[in-house]
């Protein structure tokens, strides 16, 4: 038992489900980290948590992680601490910048503090301002009411509570430090310091303070300067200039960025006294006010702040100042949690055909300030130590010199990357204060880190590691911008990546508009050895695009590389996944070899989370994990979109529909018509024809089924950017709208001429063919069309909530030759069109009949629209997140029992179901195979104690493919199968019953292993 680890603490963490006694289940014991046991696989965590493990700083007892990211620092005490100690512990937790909460547990009470809240500036006798909750240590029920049990945290339930919403990244150390650095720089500028020199002084000050806090600065730096600390040096101009020059000489240039460029002289190290006063306030942590601005650096502890946060702070600091350059290059700084997510996949040997060698070389072709390289450095050192090598300065420097490489177009970024890596070398150094071999033997610039275009044919490519394809891993977050045309002057619009792809043999086809990030996948191959690994964060839109160029590119890519993992983070695009960008992201992991016969890869999608912008935890769940056959990629062009929101049954339904019916665009072509987008006001650059229809449809909902013109405003625009041809506005025509209405696509027939805007699409048709408009009217207003749209639309649910014209055109559509074949369906549509509140379920059943869907598919489609689409559109406001009621639970259980029975012969097994209530946020269904005959579903109030005590352990067992969370459990126990899920309606629909019955039947066939 750890020092001060009390029985009360142990009962608390066990009772709330955190410590399940399952290795690598997200609960990291502090004793295990402090034990320094060789080969235990914890060395990377030891490096990461060194500051909070230190008893002089925080001395955590345990760490609870979610998806590999620290969530709670837990500290057990045998006696009540003083408020001063609590303040110091919280300050350390905040400076570490990774954990979300700090729990302080004594024999009598537990205190929960917000570790993202800044330390208070004043003493508070009664309660620490960051305190979220305080209760008796044995009051587990109160902690559960606040959703602080493990299940509620991992499911995301906690983050929706009033307490959870108080934990926000807006006040995390990196955000606060960037804000204070910005204020300090502005004060410098007000004091007549050139902007570039102001930023340089702040960064040099920050970096030197970091070194000093870690006792890395040798005493000789202060010789004859009448000072023993950096703060004292900054009080005098001449001594500061000498000190800066010595710093650059002592650390071989890499540890003092950004140094003067080729066009500057050493005089750039000179600052006036009024400038150095600002830097001194930073180092000595004094308050400084100028005009309306104040900053106070007292709260920062540079001995604790992780190196990777310093790198990301730099990027955020620079990008906030020069957003135009960042936007032009398509570069945005990568949060640390995404870096962790990428490395958790590329370092997983189980995903690849060969084990990663201990001397693996890692490359980032768009390294920025080195966020990926810093993490790679630490992981490589940990890997070698775990393999039995002794941690020494020589080992650390060897890894840095021989295994870490990067390229970037920005010289300043490369300089910061060099600094970050050297600083990491001191962080990993077992004796950083030793003066022996302090100076780095080689500068990293031009040896490991290079300034240049990743697609260049000269420069860094001539170096041996690149020339000889020595790299085991290529990682990074390359720029995403697309070329803007021949007149663009932005760096991202350079054609170098396009020319590179065109010169390959065979030529490489990039997706639509030739995005540069996709070219980085192919460029990575040039430097990888056989079976090397690729781990990149890419623009997700290109994988969902249905443009022919994109489909060709995708086929080529998936035939040339062995894809291992794709993690779709699209739903977080507007939740500050990247603080300075809103593009949908995909983590792409592949092996540099041809795919093998029968290969599949893991495709998982993040859960929509309204609170992600606050807590920053990427939630990946087992239920959203698909194993997709690589061979199906060329055949099923919608596979990624279906896998984002669907299951194997969704794939089966869509395959059948596309097999039986043609895309709507093809059908319209045989009818000699097409979709047309309405007018665009835009810049009013063209005259609007005088003969346009007098009624205007703009910025209003369609009347489902039949759109009249009475009451519409007149068309009175004289000029438009794109008027379109007048014939597209002639009635009769069928109209659809980009926006959904009542969770459905909406369409309407209009008999009159009507001028409609860009948010509508129209299909004019001859009066003799109006029966075909009825056919369109029935289908596009049905739940089946909405279901197909959800599963195939390229941007809906990815980064938009609207329908594009080509989304309608791709829908599978049943065309008939004669009016008589759809007579019944036409009658239903015409009846509904005159009803004030049409019953759409009548339409749905008629469309299901017309398309020949079996009963299970009808139920599956209906529940997908009712529950899943509701969540896709409304998130935490959806009714589908409310607890399932008894009727819904009964319907789920009956559907499951019926489905399992249908797969068994009458004499094989009895199949019955018991629904267990009274499990708080959970619901449970027990499928029994041990009774003599089948019976009806019945309800029970409790679960057997034997199983209930193991619930937390089973719910949080380690999973494959790096996905650490599960919201449900299908567990075989003797002659029973126990299904436990969170209570939300969307997990207990009939559609989920069909999916779960598939899993159970599969296990029955395997013998319940």
């Amino acid at each position: 038992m750890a020092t001060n680890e009390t029985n009360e603490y142990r009962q608390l963490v066990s009772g709330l489900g955190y410590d399940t006694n399952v290795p690598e289940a997200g609960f990291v014991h502090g004793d295990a980290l402090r034990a320094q046991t060789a080969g235990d696989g914890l060395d990377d965590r030891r490096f990461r948590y060194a500051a909070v493990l230190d008893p002089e700083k925080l001395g955590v007892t345990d760490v609870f992680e979610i998806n590999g990211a620290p969530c709670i620092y837990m500290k057990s005490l045998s006696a009540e601490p003083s408020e001063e100690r609590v303040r110091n512990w919280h300050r350390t937790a905040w400076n570490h910048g990774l954990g979300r909460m700090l729990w302080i547990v004594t024999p009598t009470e537990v205190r929960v503090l917000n570790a993202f809240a800044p330390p208070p500036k004043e003493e508070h006798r009664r309660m620490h301002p960051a305190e979220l909750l305080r209760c008796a240590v044995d009051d587990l029920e109160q902690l559960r009411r606040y959703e602080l049990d493990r299940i509620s945290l991992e499911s995301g339930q906690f983050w929706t509570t009033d307490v959870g919403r108080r934990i926000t990244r807006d006040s995390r150390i990196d955000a606060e430090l960037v804000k204070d650095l910005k204020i300090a720089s502005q004060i410098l500028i007000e004091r007549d310091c050139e902007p570039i020199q102001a930023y340089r002084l702040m960064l040099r000050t920050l970096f030197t303070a970091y070194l000093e806090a870690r006792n890395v600065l040798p005493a000789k730096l202060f010789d004859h300067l009448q000072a023993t600390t950096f703060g004292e040096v900054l009080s005098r101009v001449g001594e500061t200039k000498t000190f800066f020059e010595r710093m650059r000489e002592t650390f071989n240039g890499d540890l003092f960025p950004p140094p003067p460029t080729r066009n500057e002289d050493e005089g750039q190290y000179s600052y006036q006294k009024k400038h150095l006063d600002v830097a001194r306030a930073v180092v000595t942590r004094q308050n400084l006010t100028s005009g309306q601005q104040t900053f106070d650096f007292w709260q920062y502890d540079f001995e604790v702040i992780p190196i990777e946060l310093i790198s990301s702070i730099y990027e955020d600091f620079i990008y906030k100042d020069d957003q135009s350059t960042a936007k032009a290059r398509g570069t945005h700084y990568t949060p640390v949690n995404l870096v962790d997510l990428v490395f958790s996949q590329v370092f997983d040997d189980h995903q690849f055909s060969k084990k990663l060698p201990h001397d693996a070389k890692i490359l980032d072709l768009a390294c920025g300030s080195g966020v990926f390289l810093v993490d790679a450095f630490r992981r490589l050192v940990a890997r070698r130590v775990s393999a039995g090598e002794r941690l020494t300065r020589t080992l650390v420097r060897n890894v840095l010199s021989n295994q870490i490489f990067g390229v970037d177009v920005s010289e300043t970024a490369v300089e910061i990357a060099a600094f970050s890596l050297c600083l990491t070398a001191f962080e990993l150094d077992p004796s950083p204060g030793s003066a022996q071999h302090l100076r780095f033997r080689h500068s990293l610039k031009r040896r490991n880190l290079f300034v240049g275009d990743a697609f260049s044919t000269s420069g860094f490519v001539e170096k041996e590691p690149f020339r000889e394809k020595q790299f085991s891993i290529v990682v990074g977050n390359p720029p995403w911008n697309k070329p803007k045309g021949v007149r663009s002057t932005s760096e991202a619009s350079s054609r170098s990546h396009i020319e590179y792809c065109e010169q390959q043999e065979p030529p490489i086809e990039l997706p639509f508009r030739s995005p540069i990030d996709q070219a980085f996948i192919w460029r990575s191959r040039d430097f990888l050895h056989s079976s090397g690994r690729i781990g990149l964060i890419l623009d997700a839109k290109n994988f969902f695009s249905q443009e022919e160029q994109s489909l060709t590119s995708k086929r080529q890519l998936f035939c040339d590389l062995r894809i291992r993992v794709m993690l779709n983070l699209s739903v977080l695009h507007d939740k500050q996944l990247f603080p300075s960008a809103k593009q949908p992201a995909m983590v792409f992991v592949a092996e540099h070899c041809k795919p093998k016969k029968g290969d599949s890869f893991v495709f998982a999608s993040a859960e929509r989370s309204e609170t992600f912008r606050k807590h920053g935890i990427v939630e990946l769940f087992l239920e959203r994990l698909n194993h997709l056959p690589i061979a199906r990629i060329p055949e099923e062009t919608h596979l990624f979109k279906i896998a984002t929101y669907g299951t194997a049954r969704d794939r089966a339904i869509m395959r059948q529909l596309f097999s039986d019916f043609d895309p709507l665009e093809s059908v319209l072509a045989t009818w000699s018509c097409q979709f047309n987008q309405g007018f665009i006001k835009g810049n009013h650059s063209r005259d609007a024809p005088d003969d346009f229809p007098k009624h205007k449809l703009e910025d209003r909902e369609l009347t489902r089924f039949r759109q009249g013109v009475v009451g519409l405003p007149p068309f009175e625009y004289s000029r438009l950017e794109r008027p379109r041809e007048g014939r597209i506005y002639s009635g009769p025509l069928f109209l659809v709208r980009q926006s959904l209405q009542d969770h459905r696509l909406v369409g309407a027939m209009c008999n009159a001429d009507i001028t409609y805007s860009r948010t509508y699409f129209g299909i004019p048709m001859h009066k003799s063919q109006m029966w075909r408009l009825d056919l369109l009217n029935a289908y596009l207003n049905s739940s089946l069309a909405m279901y197909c749209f959800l599963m195939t639309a390229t941007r809906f649910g990815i980064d938009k909530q609207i329908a594009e014209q080509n989304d309608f055109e791709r829908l599978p559509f049943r065309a008939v030759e004669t009016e008589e074949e759809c007579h019944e369906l036409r009658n239903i549509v015409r009846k509904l069109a005159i009803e004030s509140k049409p019953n759409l379920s009548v339409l749905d059943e008629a469309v299901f009949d017309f398309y020949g869907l079996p009963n299970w598919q009808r139920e599956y489609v209906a529940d997908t629209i009712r529950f899943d689409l509701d969540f896709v559109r409304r998130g935490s406001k959806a009714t589908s997140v409310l607890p399932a009621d008894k009727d819904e639970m009964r319907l789920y259980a009956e559907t499951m029992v019926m489905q399992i029975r249908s797969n068994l012969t009458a004499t094989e097994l009895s199949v019955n179901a018991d629904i267990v209530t009274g499990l708080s946020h959970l619901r449970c269904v027990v499928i029994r195979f041990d009774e003599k005959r089948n019976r009806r579903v019945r309800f029970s109030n409790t679960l057997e104690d034997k199983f209930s005590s193991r619930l937390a352990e089973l719910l949080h067992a380690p999973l494959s493919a790096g996905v650490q969370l599960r919201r449900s459990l299908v567990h075989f126990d003797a002659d029973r199968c126990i299904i436990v899920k969170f209570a939300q309606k969307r997990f207990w629909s009939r559609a989920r019953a069909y999916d779960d019955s598939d899993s159970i039947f599969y296990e029955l066939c395997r013998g319940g292993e």
Side-chain angles (χ1 to χ4, degrees):
M1 184 175 288
T3 304
N4 292 331
E5 183 177 318
T6 64
N7 289 328
E8 291 83 0
Y9 169 79
R10 187 51 52 200
Q11 290 169 5
L12 175 78
V13 295
S14 298
L16 294 177
Y18 289 105
D19 190 359
T20 62
N21 294 315
V22 177
E24 298 188 9
F27 195 76
V28 186
H29 291 281
D31 275 358
L33 295 174
R34 281 182 275 263
Q36 303 289 332
T37 304
D40 62 3
L42 295 175
D43 291 294
D44 179 48
R45 285 187 172 97
R46 288 190 183 98
F47 294 143
R48 167 179 284 192
Y49 298 134
V52 294
L53 285 170
D54 184 353
E56 298 297 319
K57 290 293 183 181
L58 176 54
V60 295
T61 305
D62 299 307
V63 179
F64 171 62
E65 300 178 335
I66 294 181
N67 263 342
C71 183
I72 306 174
Y73 300 131
M74 295 182 169
K75 184 172 180 64
S76 173
L77 299 167
S78 58
E80 296 296 326
S82 67
E83 289 304 309
E84 181 182 3
R85 295 184 73 187
V86 171
R87 286 196 301 273
N88 290 336
W89 291 333
H90 173 263
R91 179 169 175 264
T92 295
W94 181 75
N95 272 274
H96 200 236
L98 301 178
R100 278 72 179 167
M101 286 180 278
L102 169 63
W103 287 24
I104 299 174
V105 183
T106 71
T108 59
E109 68 178 10
V110 54
R111 297 171 65 177
V112 179
L113 284 80
N114 178 1
F116 277 5
K121 295 184 178 181
E122 299 176 356
E123 292 187 13
H124 294 262
R125 294 182 179 180
R126 293 187 176 181
M127 188 177 77
H128 193 290
E131 189 170 300
L132 299 170
L133 174 70
R134 184 188 303 210
C135 70
V137 71
D138 57 356
D139 192 354
L140 300 186
E141 286 308 309
Q142 181 174 356
L143 290 167
R144 291 191 183 103
R145 283 196 298 272
Y146 279 93
E147 317 282 8
L148 281 165
D149 57 290
R150 177 171 181 160
I151 291 173
S152 298
L153 267 170
E154 290 196 333
S155 70
Q157 184 69 25
F158 166 75
W159 307 110
T160 66
T161 66
D162 291 340
V163 171
R165 283 193 289 266
R166 288 172 59 187
I167 302 174
T168 170
R169 290 183 292 171
D170 293 342
S171 59
R172 195 172 64 179
I173 181 173
D174 51 346
E176 291 293 308
L177 186 50
V178 166
K179 182 171 66 177
D180 282 340
L181 284 171
K182 188 74 174 176
I183 292 173
S185 297
Q186 289 172 349
I187 293 174
L188 282 167
I189 293 170
E190 289 173 3
R191 297 184 178 189
D192 302 320
C193 185
E194 290 294 324
I196 185 63
Q197 294 306 321
Y199 302 141
R200 285 179 172 175
L201 178 57
M202 281 298 94
L203 291 170
R204 289 168 182 162
T205 300
L206 181 69
F207 300 155
T208 306
Y210 203 99
L211 291 169
E212 186 172 44
R214 281 164 163 71
N215 297 317
V216 173
L217 298 181
K220 66 179 183 179
L221 283 171
F222 300 94
D223 286 352
H224 311 299
L225 295 182
Q226 299 180 344
T228 58
T229 67
F230 181 43
E232 293 172 355
V233 168
L234 289 169
S235 63
R236 291 177 290 276
V237 173
E239 283 79 353
T240 299
K241 181 177 184 296
T242 301
F243 183 85
F244 282 171
E245 290 169 349
R246 289 178 180 178
M247 281 285 291
R248 187 177 182 190
E249 173 63 26
T250 299
F251 295 108
N252 203 28
D254 282 337
L255 262 173
F256 205 50
T261 65
R262 287 183 290 273
N263 297 323
E264 298 172 317
D265 57 33
E266 295 296 323
Q268 296 297 325
Y269 280 139
S270 298
Y271 292 93
Q272 298 178 39
K273 179 69 166 55
K274 60 183 178 180
H275 303 150
L276 297 182
D277 286 344
V278 179
R280 190 167 186 270
V282 172
V283 175
T284 58
R285 300 171 185 155
Q286 295 176 349
N287 184 53
L288 183 67
T289 301
S290 176
Q292 300 297 314
Q293 301 184 103
T294 300
F295 74 84
D296 190 347
F297 275 75
W298 70 270
Q299 59 193 346
Y300 302 113
D301 186 345
F302 295 110
E303 192 176 354
V304 175
I305 302 173
I307 302 294
E308 57 266 37
L309 277 185
I310 292 292
S311 295
S312 64
I313 284 168
Y314 161 76
E315 292 195 11
D316 197 19
F317 179 45
I318 293 299
Y319 291 161
K320 273 183 167 57
D321 179 66
D322 192 4
Q323 292 185 3
S324 60
T325 299
K327 185 175 181 180
R329 290 176 177 167
T331 54
H332 302 279
Y333 91 88
T334 312
V336 174
N337 60 324
L338 291 190
V339 177
D340 285 338
L341 188 60
V342 172
F343 276 118
S344 70
Q345 304 304 313
V346 295
F347 268 78
D348 184 358
D349 284 337
H350 297 96
Q351 305 275 15
F352 304 94
S353 57
K354 294 181 180 179
K355 189 174 181 180
L356 192 68
H358 77 279
D359 59 348
K361 287 180 170 62
I362 294 184
L363 169 65
D364 185 345
L365 286 167
C367 68
S369 63
V371 179
F372 276 94
L373 297 181
V374 165
D375 200 303
F377 186 12
R378 186 174 60 234
R379 289 173 185 265
L380 288 173
V381 171
R383 198 175 182 94
R384 289 180 63 167
V385 172
S386 295
E389 295 188 58
R390 190 166 65 90
L391 180 61
T392 63
R393 176 174 289 178
T394 300
L395 169 64
V396 172
R397 299 286 179 92
N398 179 274
V399 171
L400 178 58
S401 297
N402 299 311
Q403 296 182 244
I404 302 294
F405 295 81
V407 179
D408 200 273
V409 294
S410 167
E411 183 172 6
T412 301
V414 168
E415 290 165 349
I416 300 299
F419 159 78
S420 299
L421 288 167
C422 290
L423 209 57
T424 305
F426 286 114
E427 182 184 59
L428 299 174
D429 196 324
S431 48
S434 171
Q436 187 176 10
H437 305 302
L438 184 64
R439 180 183 173 90
F440 288 87
R441 182 178 299 179
H442 305 287
S443 173
L444 295 176
K445 289 174 290 184
R446 293 177 290 281
R447 186 179 185 276
N448 295 72
L449 303 175
F450 303 89
V451 179
D453 183 342
F455 300 95
S456 173
T457 57
S458 60
F460 71 90
V461 296
E462 299 167 349
K463 302 294 183 179
E464 181 181 351
F466 297 87
R467 188 182 67 247
E468 301 298 327
K469 298 178 180 280
Q470 294 179 355
F471 292 99
S472 297
I473 296 176
V474 177
V475 292
N477 179 17
W480 293 3
N481 274 4
K482 300 176 177 65
K484 301 292 192 294
V486 293
R487 288 182 291 181
S488 173
T489 58
S490 74
E491 294 184 48
S493 68
S494 166
R495 284 184 51 86
S496 63
H497 72 285
I498 299 175
E499 293 169 355
Y500 162 80
C501 291
E502 291 172 344
Q503 292 165 4
Q504 302 306 299
E505 187 57 46
I508 294 167
E509 183 78 66
L510 290 174
F512 182 58
R513 295 181 178 171
S514 303
I516 189 172
D517 60 311
Q518 290 275 319
F520 271 86
I521 304 175
W522 296 100
R523 185 55 163 165
S524 298
R525 300 178 316 159
D526 295 344
F527 309 120
L528 285 169
H529 60 64
S530 177
S531 296
R533 307 172 185 185
I534 299 173
L536 301 175
I537 301 175
L538 305 171
D539 187 343
K541 296 192 299 292
N542 298 307
F543 292 102
F544 296 105
S545 171
Q546 295 296 307
E547 298 286 346
E548 189 55 42
Q549 184 179 341
S550 299
L551 296 177
T552 301
S553 173
K554 193 158 52 178
R555 284 191 288 267
Q556 187 178 18
L557 180 65
F558 280 74
C559 287
D560 200 83
L561 291 174
R562 186 175 182 236
I563 313 304
R564 306 313 305 134
V565 177
M566 293 177 69
L567 304 179
N568 177 20
L569 310 180
S570 297
V571 293
L572 304 176
H573 76 279
D574 59 348
K575 303 294 186 294
Q576 292 189 337
L577 180 68
F578 299 105
S580 56
K582 288 189 176 182
Q583 292 135 306
M586 181 82 73
V587 174
F588 177 87
V589 179
E591 186 174 2
H592 180 29
C593 63
K594 299 284 187 182
K596 302 175 183 177
K597 186 176 182 180
D599 258 348
S600 64
F601 63 97
V602 171
F603 185 96
S605 293
E607 181 83 331
R608 172 170 175 165
S609 172
E610 305 306 319
T611 54
F612 173 82
R613 67 175 71 246
K614 291 182 176 294
H615 57 69
I617 295 175
V618 177
E619 299 170 4
L620 296 166
F621 294 100
L622 177 65
E623 298 85 346
R624 303 294 291 275
L625 186 149
N626 290 271
H627 291 272
L628 304 182
I630 292 179
R632 292 243 183 106
I633 301 300
E635 303 169 10
E636 299 180 39
T637 59
H638 303 288
L639 188 56
F640 291 145
K641 183 63 188 298
I642 296 172
T644 297
Y645 290 113
T647 66
R649 282 187 176 252
D650 292 293
R651 297 199 295 273
I653 292 172
M654 293 308 302
R655 274 202 306 271
Q656 188 64 50
L657 287 171
F658 278 114
S659 173
D660 293 345
F661 309 113
D662 292 326
L664 180 53
E665 181 181 30
S666 300
V667 174
L668 292 178
T670 66
W671 294 351
S672 301
C673 57
Q674 64 181 24
F675 278 105
N676 302 278
Q677 187 178 36
F679 68 81
I680 298 176
K681 281 193 298 185
N683 57 21
H684 306 281
S685 57
R686 301 176 187 177
D687 290 331
D690 296 331
D691 59 350
F692 271 12
K694 63 179 182 179
H695 297 291
K696 181 183 67 174
L697 182 64
E698 184 180 29
D699 298 331
R700 63 188 297 160
E701 291 188 348
L702 278 178
T703 303
R704 195 180 296 276
F705 298 121
R706 191 178 298 275
Q707 177 65 47
V709 295
V710 176
L712 291 181
F715 178 80
E716 50 191 17
Y717 297 126
S718 60
R719 296 184 67 82
L720 299 167
E721 181 178 338
R722 295 187 182 182
R724 313 295 189 192
E725 295 182 26
R727 62 176 180 79
I728 74 169
Y729 304 123
S730 299
L733 75 164
F734 182 72
L735 293 167
V736 290
R737 188 171 181 237
Q738 280 192 321
S739 299
L740 273 59
Q741 292 175 204
D742 302 321
H743 286 335
R744 292 184 185 232
L745 301 173
V746 57
M749 189 164 63
C750 183
N751 290 320
D753 297 348
I754 186 171
T755 306
Y756 50 91
S757 69
R758 65 179 299 175
T759 58
Y760 309 87
F761 306 104
I763 307 173
M765 199 171 290
H766 193 271
K767 292 182 179 180
S768 64
Q769 303 298 312
M770 287 184 65
W771 65 273
R772 287 174 169 163
L773 294 183
D774 286 333
L775 195 56
L776 288 168
N777 213 355
Y779 175 63
L780 288 173
N781 282 294
S782 72
S783 61
L784 179 60
M786 186 62 227
Y787 171 81
C788 294
F789 171 78
L790 173 64
M791 295 296 161
T792 61
T794 57
R795 303 288 292 275
F796 180 83
I798 302 301
D799 65 338
K800 291 187 176 182
Q801 291 283 344
I802 61 173
E804 302 288 0
Q805 179 176 323
N806 53 18
D807 294 328
F808 290 107
E809 293 170 342
R810 283 191 295 269
L811 295 174
F813 181 76
R814 182 189 171 192
V816 292
E817 296 297 326
T818 65
E819 181 178 350
E820 289 71 23
E821 294 177 82
C822 61
H823 179 73
E824 184 176 346
L825 192 59
R826 290 188 65 209
N827 285 339
I828 291 174
V829 170
R830 295 195 171 208
K831 287 179 182 179
L832 292 173
I834 60 176
E835 294 179 1
S836 58
K837 293 183 178 180
N839 184 352
L840 296 181
S841 62
V842 174
L843 173 69
D844 291 341
E845 285 302 316
V847 171
F848 288 150
D849 288 340
F850 187 70
Y851 280 77
L853 267 65
N855 188 62
W856 79 264
Q857 291 188 4
R858 299 174 187 223
E859 294 177 349
Y860 206 95
V861 168
D863 278 12
T864 298
I865 299 303
R866 180 184 173 192
F867 297 108
D868 299 334
L869 177 63
D870 183 33
F871 183 73
V872 169
R873 297 197 70 203
R874 301 176 62 207
S876 60
K877 297 180 181 178
T879 57
S880 59
V881 304
L882 298 175
D885 59 33
K886 281 193 171 184
D887 289 339
E888 290 164 332
M889 292 301 302
R890 180 184 288 108
L891 191 56
Y892 167 90
E894 289 173 347
T895 303
M896 173 170 284
V897 166
M898 177 194 67
Q899 184 65 17
I900 297 174
R901 287 174 183 170
S902 70
N903 285 311
L904 301 172
T905 63
T907 58
E908 246 181 308
L909 284 172
S910 66
V911 183
N912 293 300
D914 294 335
I915 300 172
V916 182
T917 58
L919 292 176
S920 184
H921 299 304
L922 302 174
R923 296 287 186 271
C924 176
V925 172
V926 180
I927 305 297
R928 307 183 67 100
F929 306 100
D930 58 349
E931 299 179 1
K932 292 184 178 180
R933 60 179 61 88
N934 294 332
R935 57 169 170 80
R936 291 185 176 182
V937 172
R938 67 188 181 194
F939 285 84
S940 171
N941 290 327
T942 59
L943 194 63
E944 293 179 17
D945 289 341
K946 173 187 173 184
F947 182 76
S948 185
S949 63
R950 295 187 60 219
L951 184 57
E953 176 184 345
L954 290 166
L955 270 172
H956 305 289
L959 306 176
S960 61
V963 181
Q964 302 296 322
L965 308 182
R966 65 169 82 200
R967 296 170 301 196
S968 64
L969 168 69
V970 178
H971 173 69
F972 277 84
D973 184 30
D975 294 322
R976 299 175 302 173
C977 176
I978 304 172
I979 302 146
V980 182
K981 306 186 194 183
F982 293 105
Q984 295 179 17
K985 294 175 184 287
R986 62 195 177 109
F987 301 137
W988 297 102
S989 66
R990 290 171 299 177
R992 299 293 77 78
Y994 282 112
D995 294 334
D996 293 341
S997 67
D998 291 342
S999 300
I1000 291 173
F1001 186 71
Y1002 175 73
E1003 291 298 329
L1004 285 173
C1005 294
R1006 295 176 65 237
E1009 294 175 12

